[in-house]
Amino acid sequence: MDIFLQQMVNGLTIGSLYALVALGYTMVYGVMRLINFAHGDLVAFSAFIGLSVYAQIFGESATSLGVIITVFALTALSVACVGVLLERLAYRPLRTAPRLSAVVSALGAGLVIQNSVMLIWGPNMKIFPSNLFPSTIWAVGGIVITFTQVMILGVSSVLMVGLYFFIHQTKIGTAIRAVAIDQDAAKLMGINVNRIIMIIFIIGSALGAVAGLFIGSYYRGITFDMGWMYGLNAFVAAIMGGIGNIPGAMLGGLLLGLFNAMITGYISTQWAETFTFVLLIAILVLRPTGILGETVAEKV
Amino acid sequence: MFSKLTVSLAACSMLVSASVAATNVIKIGVQAPITGQYANEGQSIDNGVKLIVDQYNAKGGVLGKKIEVVTCDDQGTAQQAAICAKKLVNEGVKAVIGSYTSGATEAAQTTYNRAGVLQTSDGTSDSLIAHKYWTFFRNSFPNSAEADYTAKYFVDGKQYKKIVILSDYSSYSTDLADATIKALKAKNANIIYEGKIKSGSQNFTATLTKIKAMEPDVIYFSGYYTDGGLLRAQQMQLGIKADFVGGDSNDNPDYMKLAGESAQGTLLINVPTPDILPYDIAKTFLVDYKAKFNAMPASIWSLMNVDGLRVILHVMEQTKSEDTKVIAEEMHKLKDFPGITGPVTFREDGERTGGGYMTYEVQADKSYKIVYQ
């Protein structure tokens, strides 16, 4: 039983990371009907930016709540800027073009970001300092939980709940939902669609930045090409939950993390990725709209 | 008219002299992971080779010719290794130093053999000498030698009762794990789990949690330092009390950085580290290396590769020949060449004889203490 619960903790931790990244995919898709394949590389970029911010401004030994908040805020800010730039340069000129052009542009933008990271920080693995978070470990019964895990679970839950209320309770949230349903009608209602899309990219990138920093501080070793793996898993999570659906992305991420941990723990490492994609295919066959996705009646 | 003729004549003579100059160098290839996961090791091999070549060139080269180094980055992958092999053969190299990983070395072997290009690598996978290529020489010791040592240490030294063996999917790691399992079984040791992790996947908690329930005495990992450091850190986080023993490829400064505080108490099995090599040439080499690159070599592996180069250049001078066939024959006959990493002798299949493994315990300040020899 202990082992099962420990696998749950492991799975939920990585699941929250997937969920944070998946939100970026799902929000952009919801509003623009575009799979932003550059998002995974943006996450990798944020891990590197975060490491530089930490090492350059505070030196690698500083540790306090203020430092952590500043590092997270500065990283989120700079990654959000890159996200907005990405939309301006790679997606806005193609907004009326066929959808395939935008997908190709997304893949290209991902490669540009990945290679820029390689050129700036080099191709070698970079190592996060171990003291960004305290190394406290709690043992509850037979289960072990680290401070970093608690932070990951806590902060991502708060962010996800906050995002849900932001989308459903605020004026901007209502405007985002309106743009997601029909861009032209939203325009006629006086909504500035460009501004809404910019906000989407800011939020998505900032969440990705938080995920990137958590990946860095949890796993320590970061490489310029790691974005692909997190991007792909988060993409699967977004599809599982129902792409375009915000609670769906969170649920999809958590489920995928749990699923991965259980397969690795009880079956084998070899099969973890295979099973992920078998699960994806199964969901697409049995419930094409994803777990929480709804079939919206198309206008005729 | 006349001036045009002079110009073209001059151009012609320049071309001729250029082609004459081209045959006046001996090209040595380096195939190593200059970028990618094992970049730290690859760059160190490249540096080591260039240092020796500079020293030779300063003395007038070899056989009256300058030595030129051609480096190709195989990124530690088989695909890139195959590309590198073709490129280096086309460049006309006489010998290739590398690569670091067994997988990349094996992928390039056949191409070098067909072209009659000598290759010397620190790859430890036993399969590397299976082809018995006359062009291939191992400058390190095979996995089976390390496996026998590890089994002896686990059973006679530590008397472990419950052993866990972890490897990744690379040919080196699989081969070392298989050899170790074989050696342990021959000593009737109790292996309770044989598992694999996916290199570079960062998250090993699921596998480790499964292992925790088995309450092992030791977790032995036969993969590379980038995964080993994380495995050790995550093992300590999960509170698994077993010893962590890393195979030779965990012996790298980045292992210490990745494992952080958890590095302390780790046991690493390897041939002697560069700084405790007892030979005078080793001491001189390390001083020169430090002076030129302002750093220590990444690990003993760079030095093994440097020894590979030194043997080839030495034999070239001895035989006064550039013919790789002649050089290879002489290399097989060589007895106890004074290497940086100890005496070098090759068997007929290209295997380097000897071994001399040690176990180090990592101290709180990341220094080593020899605990078993």
Side-chain angles (χ1 to χ4, degrees):
Chain A
M1 194 59 196
D2 282 352
I3 298 301
F4 179 76
L5 290 175
Q6 183 71 57
Q7 295 291 22
M8 291 270 285
V9 173
N10 302 342
L12 286 175
T13 313
I14 184 138
S16 326
L17 294 175
Y18 289 157
L20 282 178
V21 184
L23 282 170
Y25 278 101
T26 224
M27 283 199 298
V28 170
Y29 183 84
V31 171
M32 297 173 74
R33 295 288 176 272
L34 161 80
I35 305 283
N36 178 14
F37 280 113
H39 192 58
D41 293 308
L42 210 57
V43 171
F45 170 74
S46 34
F48 280 88
I49 269 282
L51 178 60
S52 287
V53 167
Y54 184 45
Q56 296 296 321
I57 301 181
F58 299 105
E60 293 206 356
S61 54
T63 168
S64 76
L65 192 64
V67 170
I68 295 173
I69 292 174
T70 323
V71 170
F72 270 79
L74 284 177
T75 308
L77 194 70
S78 31
V79 177
C81 290
V82 177
V84 170
L85 211 66
L86 176 74
E87 193 268 327
R88 276 285 159 85
L89 300 175
Y91 303 140
R92 191 175 292 184
L94 294 170
R95 212 176 281 166
T96 52
R99 213 164 284 168
L100 187 62
S101 318
V103 171
V104 173
S105 179
L107 286 169
L111 281 176
V112 169
I113 297 174
Q114 191 188 103
N115 285 293
S116 310
V117 171
M118 190 188 82
L119 288 172
I120 300 170
W121 285 280
N124 302 356
M125 177 181 259
K126 287 268 177 280
I127 295 164
F128 246 74
S130 53
N131 51 359
L132 184 57
F133 293 119
S135 54
T136 320
I137 295 173
W138 291 284
V140 191
I143 320 163
V144 180
I145 304 175
T146 67
F147 186 86
T148 317
Q149 280 178 320
V150 173
M151 283 296 287
I152 293 175
L153 289 166
V155 171
S156 40
S157 313
V158 168
L159 286 177
M160 289 190 268
V161 172
L163 180 68
Y164 185 81
F165 281 106
F166 176 75
I167 297 285
H168 288 271
Q169 307 284 332
T170 63
K171 224 172 157 187
I172 300 175
T174 314
I176 292 175
R177 280 181 294 141
V179 174
I181 295 167
D182 188 328
Q183 288 200 10
D184 294 327
K187 248 180 229 164
L188 291 174
M189 293 296 117
I191 295 172
N192 184 342
V193 173
N194 279 341
R195 217 180 108 229
I196 293 300
I197 289 178
M198 201 173 89
I199 291 171
I200 287 295
F201 270 88
I202 291 176
I203 298 175
S205 309
L207 291 175
V210 174
L213 271 173
F214 276 140
I215 290 169
S217 46
Y218 188 45
Y219 295 125
R220 315 274 320 284
I222 52 174
T223 51
F224 73 96
D225 55 358
M226 70 174 189
W228 175 248
M229 186 177 77
Y230 288 97
L232 197 65
N233 276 304
F235 173 63
V236 171
I239 302 265
M240 267 169 57
I243 191 144
N245 184 313
I246 289 175
M250 305 176 197
L251 185 68
L254 292 177
L255 283 181
L256 185 66
L258 278 178
F259 183 75
N260 266 341
M262 294 304 164
I263 293 286
T264 313
Y266 289 101
I267 300 182
S268 81
T269 344
Q270 283 98 316
W271 292 98
E273 273 179 15
T274 318
F275 273 91
T276 302
F277 287 97
V278 168
L279 179 71
L280 175 67
I281 293 167
I283 284 181
L284 287 177
V285 170
L286 298 173
R287 202 175 152 76
T289 49
I291 301 168
L292 292 188
E294 300 143 41
T295 10
V296 183
E298 291 279 329
K299 297 182 302 287
V300 188
Chain B
M1 185 67 197
F2 181 72
S3 68
K4 252 189 194 166
L5 190 69
T6 348
V7 169
S8 48
L9 269 177
C12 273
S13 66
M14 268 168 75
L15 271 176
V16 169
S17 64
S19 64
V20 168
T23 57
N24 262 338
V25 297
I26 290 179
K27 286 189 182 176
I28 299 286
V30 173
Q31 181 204 321
I34 307 295
T35 65
Q37 233 181 332
Y38 313 118
N40 168 343
E41 294 279 1
Q43 288 165 4
S44 179
I45 293 171
D46 195 38
N47 286 346
V49 167
K50 284 180 174 152
L51 175 61
I52 293 290
V53 164
D54 283 352
Q55 288 174 354
Y56 259 85
N57 282 341
K59 289 186 295 178
V62 67
L63 308 177
K65 294 178 179 180
K66 290 275 176 200
I67 310 166
E68 190 186 316
V69 180
V70 187
T71 306
C72 185
D73 175 13
D74 67 20
Q75 296 171 8
T77 67
Q79 295 95 309
Q80 285 298 320
I83 296 170
C84 273
K86 294 217 168 66
K87 186 184 162 232
L88 290 173
V89 166
N90 287 343
E91 286 271 356
V93 299
K94 290 281 170 207
V96 173
I97 313 301
S99 179
Y100 169 68
T101 61
S102 293
T105 306
E106 201 161 359
Q109 267 187 330
T110 318
T111 310
Y112 294 135
N113 181 256
R114 278 202 202 116
V117 169
L118 300 172
Q119 182 188 16
T120 164
S121 161
D122 66 47
T124 55
S125 177
D126 283 290
S127 61
L128 284 180
I129 46 132
H131 307 287
K132 300 194 165 53
Y133 286 142
W134 65 268
T135 45
F136 184 78
F137 295 86
R138 192 203 299 279
N139 53 41
S140 66
F141 307 105
N143 284 340
S144 46
E146 182 175 342
D148 291 341
Y149 169 85
T150 306
K152 187 167 158 276
Y153 176 52
F154 280 15
V155 177
D156 304 342
K158 281 285 195 173
Q159 290 161 359
Y160 289 132
K161 298 281 178 275
K162 291 160 139 188
I163 302 169
V164 165
I165 309 276
L166 284 179
S167 62
D168 66 34
Y169 292 96
S170 67
S171 62
Y172 152 75
S173 177
T174 311
D175 196 81
L176 178 56
D178 288 349
T180 308
I181 290 165
K182 203 175 138 203
L184 280 168
K185 283 195 174 146
K187 283 184 151 294
N188 289 322
N190 179 26
I191 303 169
I192 53 169
Y193 180 71
E194 297 165 20
K196 283 194 185 295
I197 55 120
K198 199 167 157 276
S199 178
S201 67
Q202 297 190 329
N203 182 16
F204 306 120
T205 49
T207 309
L208 285 168
T209 301
K210 187 168 153 184
I211 291 171
K212 186 180 182 183
M214 303 170 186
E215 294 177 349
D217 295 330
V218 61
I219 300 173
Y220 174 75
F221 177 57
S222 72
Y224 293 94
Y225 57 96
T226 45
D227 301 308
L230 290 177
L231 262 173
R232 170 65 176 179
Q234 291 172 18
Q235 177 212 338
M236 295 309 266
Q237 264 173 21
L238 286 170
I240 305 174
K241 288 187 188 72
D243 284 349
F244 186 88
V245 180
D248 57 74
S249 290
N250 289 287
D251 185 3
N252 183 290
D254 275 0
Y255 171 89
M256 306 298 161
K257 285 196 216 155
L258 281 165
E261 286 164 15
S262 318
Q264 189 186 349
T266 308
L267 298 164
L268 297 174
I269 291 175
N270 202 358
V271 283
T273 54
D275 51 309
I276 61 166
L277 285 168
Y279 316 103
D280 283 340
I281 12 170
K283 291 188 177 102
T284 325
F285 178 81
L286 288 177
V287 168
D288 292 348
Y289 189 101
K290 186 110 204 289
K292 182 155 182 192
F293 302 107
N294 200 24
M296 281 290 273
S299 68
I300 190 83
W301 304 113
S302 330
L303 306 189
M304 299 254 185
N305 279 293
V306 166
D307 269 347
L309 174 72
R310 289 177 63 247
V311 168
I312 289 173
L313 293 178
H314 166 78
V315 172
M316 271 186 179
E317 278 181 335
Q318 286 258 299
T319 56
K320 301 200 168 42
S321 170
E322 280 183 51
D323 186 348
T324 49
K325 200 101 204 182
V326 177
I327 300 169
E329 248 167 56
E330 190 61 30
M331 277 171 83
H332 283 127
K333 284 186 208 147
L334 203 65
K335 284 273 168 302
D336 292 336
F337 173 79
I340 293 170
T341 57
V344 183
T345 305
F346 293 110
R347 285 198 329 225
E348 198 47 46
D349 55 4
E351 189 78 272
R352 179 171 172 187
T353 56
Y357 287 89
M358 294 178 180
T359 306
Y360 305 102
E361 187 182 286
V362 180
Q363 307 295 298
D365 61 352
K366 310 277 191 282
S367 68
Y368 288 164
K369 191 177 129 201
I370 301 169
V371 289
Y372 193 77
Q373 238 170 313

